[in-house]
Amino acid sequence: METFDYVIVGAGSAGSVLANRLSEDGKTTVCVLEAGPRDWHPFIHIPAGFMYTLVNPTVNWLYTSEPSEWTGGRRIAAPRGKTLGGSSSINGHIYNRGQRLDFDGWAQRGNHGWGYSDVLPYFRRSERRMAPDAVAADDTFRGKEGNLPINDLDWRDPICEAFIEGAQQLGIPRNRDYNGAQQAGVSYVQRIVQNGRRVSAARGYLKPAMKRSNLTVRTHAHATSIVLEGKRAVGIRYNKGGRSGTPVEVRAAKEVILCGGAVNSPQLLQVSGVGPAKLLGELGIPVKHELAGVGENLRDHYAPRFVARVKNAETINELSHGIKLVGQVLKYAATRKGILSLNPTLVYVFWKSDERVDNYDLQLTFTPASYKEGVQSKLDDFPGMTIASWQQRPDSIGWVRAKSADPFTAPLIQPNYLAAESDRQVLLAGMKLARRLLHSPALSKFYDREEFPGPQAQSDEDLMTAAKQRGTTTFHLMGTCRMAPDTDPTAVVDDQLRVRGLKALRVVDASIMPTMPSANLNASVLMIAEKAADMIRGRAPLEATIVRD
């Protein structure tokens, strides 16, 4: 039986960062276990390949959520990466940190050291900002020497330009850096792409570290249980090759670190006997450590999409068919430009659901393309554009629960989308703003007609019915191993990310987030892992950055 200092479960964003940082010390041995394959699939590295990785079982767990009232009884896809780089190898490439109040809220809940001033240095440490000008590269907020290149989208499209102008006509200012001093406004997206290729956490962090002899990375290694001796984690059991593979056990002399994400980390804890006693009893799993919050507090962003037919311009839809697609493939092969270099969203809007309140609680995304049934894996046959909207900080709370004691059986996922009345009110305001943006004077040259939900959908009830019919996840599952003080009954980890009541076991991924950031999650997961690396190594935290209002 092999022993390493650290055993990391999951080679996604957090696992890749930790593998790199912990193995910087040549005397420390690190083993990373990844259930999926190497990241050799070509569609991982081509930015537009997200359309295929979203539905590819080779690199995607292809989870689905349980039906609920506000999904119209539908099961919503919940893609999770299953390869080196994890979800950073199949996501939409976006880099979006959120707002100061998000992290200050974490600290105010009793999580010492997680306020915005504390986490900003770790955001900076992870990024290499490739900025076009000095304003967009403010050293107070942005890093220049990190492992991941952060670029502004360089694609310019007349429909996108008209949309941005239309947003400004509605009083939404253009923002040169939504990851800087203020998030609010409209702009092209920032993304983790360089020279026309995705830069996943595996490419930015894990691959350089794999040259070190003290780092071992094992793929096709599906973790089946945490090995506990009393209240101490001492190793991981896994099957090499999946369900019918060979059982193997590795030991951790110092710590076991779970980096499986908001679905896989709580499931592994539960099938290992760590979680709510009632659930474990129902599944016939012996309770080794009762922890009521494991799998609870799940949140996600839920987005309905308006689709409009376009006139007087060519959209990505037409460029993705026939001889035009051949031309785009050749263009990408020669120059790394064209539609294959694009991500699913090209323009972002951050705004507020109520003009009377200075609270930017809406996120909207725009792209000159549209998808069949609103699912981002098959483009429409007509020239189309899409705008999505969602509530940035949802109040609706769900859960992830093991379906059986079998670690190879997909868990039950119930986000309870829009269960909270507050979420429905904010979302409704977002849908109305989305429609106003489509009807802006600047966009009128290209706007033909609304395809979905259609001009007949005018009342609040009509719009919420449309949200039920076609709303989808934005792939931001979090919170299921919540970081909180002992006074919180849902607490799973403390502010050092140590599992409460157990020794030598931490969770480092999106599941530890106490509340949802006003953002896509990948940037925050990278920050969490950078900060956790210092904690695990016993290093003093980076000096807090005091930011003036």
Side-chain angles (χ1 to χ4, degrees):
M1 186 185 307
E2 290 181 280
T3 298
F4 300 86
D5 290 317
Y6 298 101
V7 175
I8 299 170
V9 180
S13 294
S16 294
V17 172
L18 287 177
N20 184 301
R21 295 303 185 202
L22 297 181
S23 65
E24 285 177 336
D25 178 355
K27 297 178 181 179
T28 297
T29 56
V30 181
C31 178
V32 180
L33 304 176
E34 169 55 47
R38 296 287 294 270
D39 56 340
W40 287 335
H41 199 292
F43 285 138
I44 289 175
H45 306 290
I46 299 171
F50 74 90
M51 291 182 61
Y52 303 98
T53 59
L54 278 179
V55 294
N56 186 337
T58 302
V59 297
N60 189 331
W61 289 99
L62 295 183
Y63 293 134
T64 58
S65 65
E66 296 300 294
S68 65
E69 177 185 359
W70 287 97
T71 65
R74 295 176 297 133
R75 290 181 177 273
I76 304 296
R80 301 285 91 190
K82 186 176 69 171
T83 182
L84 297 185
S87 292
S88 77
S89 288
I90 70 167
N91 68 8
H93 318 86
I94 298 299
Y95 187 79
N96 178 12
R97 295 175 177 177
Q99 300 173 32
R100 300 183 200 181
L101 63 84
D102 300 323
F103 307 103
D104 287 341
W106 290 9
Q108 289 162 8
R109 287 174 172 268
N111 299 298
H112 178 72
W114 289 92
Y116 182 72
S117 294
D118 303 304
V119 303
L120 179 55
Y122 289 101
F123 276 120
R124 287 202 307 259
R125 188 163 81 176
S126 69
E127 74 166 1
R128 185 167 72 256
R129 176 73 170 125
M130 316 291 281
D133 55 58
V135 172
D138 185 340
D139 291 346
T140 301
F141 298 97
R142 308 312 301 263
K144 296 180 179 178
E145 300 178 355
N147 291 60
L148 295 176
I150 312 301
N151 291 277
D152 291 330
L153 178 70
D154 58 1
W155 173 278
R156 291 297 177 265
D157 177 276
I159 305 174
C160 290
E161 291 290 323
F163 177 83
I164 291 172
E165 182 183 349
Q168 293 174 291
Q169 290 173 339
L170 268 63
I172 300 173
R174 190 155 188 168
N175 187 344
R176 301 174 76 179
D177 185 6
Y178 60 77
N179 288 310
Q182 183 172 322
Q183 186 188 63
V186 59
S187 70
Y188 285 100
V189 299
Q190 293 177 26
R191 60 193 196 141
I192 314 180
V193 172
Q194 189 171 29
N195 299 324
R197 297 187 71 214
R198 176 195 296 275
V199 183
S200 67
R203 281 190 63 201
Y205 281 93
L206 187 61
K207 296 294 179 63
M210 287 173 67
K211 300 173 184 177
R212 301 169 184 158
S213 60
N214 59 325
L215 174 62
T216 299
V217 178
R218 295 177 179 171
T219 53
H220 300 286
H222 189 127
T224 57
S225 67
I226 303 163
V227 182
L228 294 170
E229 290 183 354
K231 296 295 184 179
R232 182 181 180 86
V234 296
I236 291 287
R237 295 189 185 95
Y238 69 93
N239 273 26
K240 179 64 175 176
R243 180 184 289 277
S244 58
T246 304
V248 182
E249 182 176 322
V250 290
R251 290 283 175 135
K254 292 184 178 179
E255 290 189 22
V256 171
I257 308 167
L258 306 187
C259 299
V263 175
N264 291 41
S265 284
Q267 183 195 20
L268 182 59
L269 285 165
Q270 290 169 1
V271 299
S272 302
V274 180
K278 184 175 182 293
L279 171 66
L280 301 185
E282 291 170 350
L283 299 177
I285 300 171
V287 179
K288 296 183 179 179
H289 183 63
E290 183 175 3
L291 207 52
V294 174
E296 302 303 306
N297 192 49
L298 174 67
R299 302 179 200 225
D300 187 20
H301 290 132
Y302 183 78
R305 291 174 168 84
F306 281 76
V307 176
R309 190 176 287 260
V310 169
K311 64 182 181 181
N312 300 323
E314 197 169 46
T315 72
I316 293 171
N317 292 6
E318 301 93 273
L319 294 173
S320 300
H321 292 94
I323 192 66
K324 290 183 179 179
L325 177 59
V326 173
Q328 290 292 323
V329 171
L330 294 174
K331 182 176 184 178
Y332 181 79
T335 68
R336 293 291 187 263
K337 301 287 186 181
I339 64 170
L340 270 68
S341 70
L342 298 179
N343 33 291
T345 293
L346 305 189
V347 178
Y348 265 6
V349 175
F350 301 98
W351 204 238
K352 47 193 172 183
S353 61
D354 189 334
E355 292 293 336
R356 298 166 298 180
V357 179
D358 192 15
N359 179 7
Y360 297 98
D361 53 359
L362 286 175
Q363 183 170 337
L364 298 95
T365 64
F366 177 82
T367 192
S370 61
Y371 303 92
K372 293 182 184 294
E373 298 299 318
V375 179
Q376 292 174 299
S377 56
K378 195 169 185 181
L379 290 161
D380 280 320
D381 298 321
F382 57 82
M385 55 185 171
T386 302
I387 183 169
S389 58
W390 62 86
Q391 71 286 25
Q392 293 231 71
R393 297 178 290 279
D395 293 321
S396 303
I397 298 174
W399 41 260
V400 170
R401 294 171 186 164
K403 190 175 183 179
S404 78
D406 178 7
F408 296 98
T409 298
L412 301 173
I413 304 170
Q414 177 54 276
N416 285 323
Y417 292 120
L418 303 184
E421 170 67 21
S422 56
D423 287 350
R424 299 195 293 275
Q425 291 303 315
V426 173
L427 184 66
L428 185 61
M431 295 178 76
K432 292 177 179 178
L433 175 57
R435 182 174 265 168
R436 291 200 303 274
L437 286 163
L438 286 177
H439 285 273
S440 72
L443 201 56
S444 61
K445 176 182 177 180
F446 304 111
Y447 178 88
D448 187 357
R449 65 178 184 269
E450 187 175 297
E451 290 286 332
F452 183 86
Q456 77 287 349
Q458 292 296 325
S459 69
D460 290 358
E461 184 179 357
D462 291 339
L463 291 176
M464 293 311 295
T465 297
K468 279 187 177 183
Q469 290 174 337
R470 281 205 193 176
T472 63
T473 176
T474 58
F475 320 115
H476 303 156
L477 278 66
M478 49 68 67
T480 49
C481 294
R482 187 180 201 170
M483 174 175 61
D486 287 331
T487 52
D488 188 331
T490 67
V492 176
V493 300
D494 65 12
D495 56 24
Q496 298 294 301
L497 309 188
R498 299 171 297 203
V499 176
R500 295 195 171 273
L502 295 176
K503 296 179 180 179
L505 181 62
R506 295 191 209 228
V507 181
V508 182
D509 55 36
S511 70
I512 67 94
M513 295 180 179
T515 55
M516 176 73 81
S518 309
N520 313 59
L521 299 187
N522 190 238
S524 290
V525 171
L526 296 166
M527 172 276 291
I528 288 167
E530 285 278 16
K531 186 170 173 60
D534 281 351
M535 294 174 175
I536 294 166
R537 298 177 72 178
R539 291 185 164 188
L542 297 180
E543 183 178 354
T545 302
I546 305 303
V547 179
R548 294 185 177 88
D549 292 331

